[in-house]
Amino acid sequence: MSLSLQPASSSIRSTTVLVVRRDGRVVMAGDGQVTFGDTVMKHQARKVRKMFHGSILAGFAGATADAFTLFERLESKLEQYSGNLTRAAVELAKDWRTDRALRRLEALLIAADASQTLILSGTGDVIEPDEAVAAVGSGAPYALAAARALIAHTPMDARRVAEESMRIAASICIYTNDVFTLEEL
């Protein structure tokens, strides 16, 4: 089962971040659109980045300021736990769920290292998808469906699957654009 999640708040409608694993490669792609209500405010935001000495990819969907706070916290946990993504994610999820200030943050994080992908939510969830693809954000269902089909029916490499899946999501989801950031492990 692949996994696609959207932030809990119905007012958050932005972004698509997709992770694709294939043939030992891991690619994370995120679109660049920043939307405020029904207005596009920016086209080239970077919602995907490398962390912990380039060994972990992380992306977000949701409120930008909240996501940057969570990126900082995840980076801190990765340093504290020597790059152990699972341990860092679980500890961040605990903090996110129990800390009064963090609990109000409205975003989802998706993180991947060479061996696993994890989705973190503010409700304390740390989910490891069963399949080679996972996505978060408004366009997640579209990107996920496209990636699953491309993985199953084409020999495309992980990067190409991610790019084509994001193009499909951008053509369907009004909160996703076709300006992508791609990072690869």
Side-chain angles (χ1 to χ4, degrees), residues 19 41 44 83 92 106 108 118 131 133 149 168 179:
V19 174
M41 301 294 286
Q44 297 177 338
L92 175 59
E106 295 187 6
L108 288 170
L118 299 174
E131 290 190 16
V133 294
I168 290 167
V179 178

Side-chain angles (χ1 to χ4, degrees), residues 16 18 138-144 146 163-177 180:
T16 302
L18 172 70
S138 298
Y142 314 115
L144 185 64
E163 289 171 338
E164 293 304 317
S165 299
M166 291 295 290
R167 278 192 217 347
I168 290 167
S171 73
I172 298 168
C173 178
I174 64 170
Y175 297 104
T176 301
N177 73 6
F180 310 128

Side-chain angles (χ1 to χ4, degrees), residues 74 77 84-94 118 120 126:
L74 179 58
K77 295 293 184 187
N84 182 327
L85 179 58
T86 302
R87 181 82 189 271
V90 168
E91 294 302 320
L92 175 59
K94 284 182 193 175
L118 299 174
L120 294 79
V126 177

Side-chain angles (χ1 to χ4, degrees), residues 6 24 34 93 107 127 142:
Q6 298 172 344
V34 174
I127 302 164
Y142 314 115

Side-chain angles (χ1 to χ4, degrees), residues 8 10 13 22 36 43 50 53 68 82 84 92 95 108-109 112 116 119 123 126 133-134 137-138 152 162 170:
S10 61
R13 298 192 189 284
R22 185 169 228 188
F36 184 75
H43 298 279
K50 286 188 174 181
H53 316 294
F68 284 121
S82 304
N84 182 327
L92 175 59
D95 290 352
L108 288 170
L109 288 182
Q116 65 185 341
I119 297 175
T123 58
V126 177
V133 294
S138 298

